[in-house]
Amino acid sequence: MSQGVNIVLAGGGTAGHVNPLLAIAKAISEQEPTASINVIGTAVGLEHTLVPQSGYPLQTIEKVPFPRSITPQTFVFPFKLARQIKRVKQIIIDSHADVVVGVGGYASAPAYIAAHQLGIPLVIHEQNARAGMANKLGARWAQFVGTVYEHTGLQSARGATVCRVGLPLRPAIADIAQRMYNNKFATRVQAAMELGVDPYRPIVLVTGGSLGAQSLNTAVANTAQEILRTAQVIHLTGKSKDQQVKTLVEASAGTDVIAGVGSEFANQGDYHIAPYLERIDLAFACADLVICRAGAGTCAELAALGVPAVYVPLPIGNGEQRFNAAGVVDAGGGIMVADRDFTSEWVSYTIPALLADSQRLQSMAQHAFEHGIRDAAQSMAEHIVRVAKDYQHTHNA
């Protein structure tokens, strides 16, 4: 058995689950170099590649989604879940786990049940404003629940702590946050130069994520001429949507304004278009305003960096994204607009005036920064290690 604490992390599937998991693992390793860390995930989620790349061993289980309606799969679900719980129990036993930590996702529910049945302490992190099914289950048995947002709907065990700790930041965002804190202007200048934009003039970033957002693309591109009178634009269109955006920008402001994203495109035009940007942290660092969807990670990262934003929640489901943006918007760090209201008319009336109002943007940035949290990974690691050591002390007494 390891001399240090033994920790099992469970969860994954999407980047929204995997990135916090890896940030927490890194913070644990920094705080407790002797800690043994094992990860439970699936073979089909992003964790299958990202966890081993980060240097942590990954044990995979079968993906067993909760049935949301009655289908033939509903009747085999209990048997599939039982098999995975049995496998997770063996992983926990073999790892000599002192605590099991879950971040949500398909691997979490079997881990929560297995840990509860084995009497192993649970710690949970919930990154959404409205908790997922797995974390709702696990929270009932958890010793500590860390959240990004208040009022997640999680019902904790009697005596357990539920605390807003923020989003454990992925390394690129954590690094740029520290650089901005040390010298915000110098970080802006360097980031802008790497992206080919002028750091001494206003910059607006438009992004709908890796797949893009049609309504954002159309409304902003149609008003290119009005926006460019006040600011430069970095428009990340999403995969295979860049040509459509270029066509709309050309119709609004002409061909000469269009450029790519990168230092090689400096002074070639003020409307910079790319499908995707690997170094989104650079765009965040130099943006005076971001126009974006309201995913949990996006809202938390922009608040942590103190970047004002216009949030346009995805109009699907029960409107979950509204809750993600509500906190920073209520704090004065952003504006929320319904997708149906985010039209070219709204953009032309609102965005140029906002970009021209440097005092308001600075106020929004300050409010966003005050609402944001930058040490969530370290905070989660402290709670996890404390729970593990308490269990180890009691168990070995």
Side-chain angles (χ1 to χ4, degrees):
M1 184 185 297
S2 170
Q3 292 182 348
V5 291
N6 301 292
I7 297 168
V8 171
L9 293 144
T14 66
H17 291 118
V18 179
N19 286 332
L21 183 151
L22 291 175
I24 291 169
K26 182 173 183 288
I28 293 170
S29 297
E30 290 171 348
Q31 290 183 23
E32 290 286 322
T34 61
S36 171
I37 298 174
N38 287 281
V39 180
I40 300 174
T42 71
V44 294
L46 286 177
E47 67 272 18
H48 189 246
T49 54
L50 295 182
V51 169
Q53 284 177 4
S54 299
Y56 301 105
L58 175 70
Q59 302 283 341
T60 60
I61 64 171
E62 184 181 340
K63 175 180 171 181
V64 187
F66 283 101
R68 297 179 183 270
S69 60
I70 298 177
T71 69
Q73 289 299 313
T74 305
F75 302 101
V76 299
F77 168 76
F79 303 101
K80 287 186 175 181
L81 181 62
R83 283 200 300 271
Q84 300 315 306
I85 292 170
K86 181 179 179 181
R87 169 154 171 72
V88 172
K89 279 185 178 180
Q90 194 59 54
I91 295 171
I92 292 173
I93 292 169
D94 292 344
S95 301
H96 305 288
D98 298 308
V99 64
V100 171
V101 182
V103 297
Y106 292 116
S108 290
Y112 297 156
I113 297 170
H116 175 63
Q117 292 178 353
L118 290 171
I120 305 297
L122 266 176
V123 171
I124 290 175
H125 184 269
E126 174 57 63
Q127 71 270 32
N128 292 301
R130 289 296 179 267
M133 293 178 68
N135 279 355
K136 284 182 179 179
L137 172 68
R140 298 185 298 173
W141 306 315
Q143 275 64 43
F144 177 82
V145 179
T147 68
V148 179
Y149 303 98
E150 305 283 1
H151 313 300
T152 59
L154 290 175
Q155 299 295 318
S156 63
R158 185 177 301 174
T161 301
V162 179
C163 179
R164 178 179 176 242
V165 298
L167 180 75
L169 300 175
R170 49 196 168 121
I173 299 298
D175 177 66
I176 209 76
Q178 186 61 53
R179 289 166 57 192
M180 290 173 71
Y181 181 79
N182 292 339
N183 193 325
K184 187 173 183 180
F185 181 71
T187 304
R188 171 189 172 89
V189 170
Q190 183 178 353
M193 292 179 66
E194 289 190 45
L195 298 181
V197 292
D198 183 352
Y200 302 99
R201 296 163 53 213
I203 301 164
V204 58
L205 168 67
V206 184
T207 174
S210 59
L211 298 179
Q214 187 66 40
S215 57
L216 272 64
N217 285 348
T218 302
V220 175
N222 278 337
T223 56
Q225 186 177 52
E226 291 92 331
I227 296 173
L228 289 175
R229 293 191 185 116
T230 309
Q232 306 158 88
V233 178
I234 298 173
H235 194 146
L236 307 179
T237 66
K239 184 179 179 181
S240 303
K241 294 182 174 68
D242 50 324
Q243 188 54 55
Q244 181 187 35
V245 169
K246 287 179 182 178
T247 300
L248 295 175
V249 172
E250 286 177 5
S252 173
T255 305
D256 293 343
V257 303
I258 297 175
V261 177
S263 57
E264 66 272 26
F265 297 105
N267 303 314
Q268 293 187 20
D270 281 344
Y271 203 107
H272 299 261
I273 299 173
Y276 180 74
L277 181 62
E278 186 70 32
R279 291 295 307 277
I280 191 70
D281 56 300
L282 297 178
F284 286 168
C286 67
D288 295 280
L289 180 70
V290 177
I291 300 173
C292 57
R293 289 299 192 196
T298 298
C299 295
E301 289 181 351
L302 289 175
L305 297 175
V307 181
V310 173
Y311 295 104
V312 188
L314 193 65
I316 62 170
N318 297 318
E320 291 89 348
Q321 285 201 354
R322 289 188 299 111
F323 301 109
N324 294 335
V328 66
V329 169
D330 290 345
I335 298 170
M336 183 151 46
V337 186
D339 188 79
R340 64 179 178 275
D341 297 327
F342 190 80
T343 62
S344 297
E345 291 74 22
W346 188 92
V347 172
S348 63
Y349 179 79
T350 308
I351 299 302
L354 180 57
L355 288 165
D357 190 346
S358 60
Q359 187 172 352
R360 185 182 178 193
L361 285 175
Q362 288 174 10
S363 175
M364 290 174 66
Q366 183 61 34
H367 289 309
F369 184 84
E370 291 170 355
H371 178 76
I373 298 176
R374 286 151 290 281
D375 63 350
Q378 292 73 25
S379 179
M380 282 298 300
E382 289 173 5
H383 287 291
I384 291 163
V385 170
R386 175 182 55 78
V387 170
K389 287 185 175 179
D390 286 347
Y391 173 80
Q392 201 174 64
H393 175 74
T394 304
H395 193 65
N396 295 334

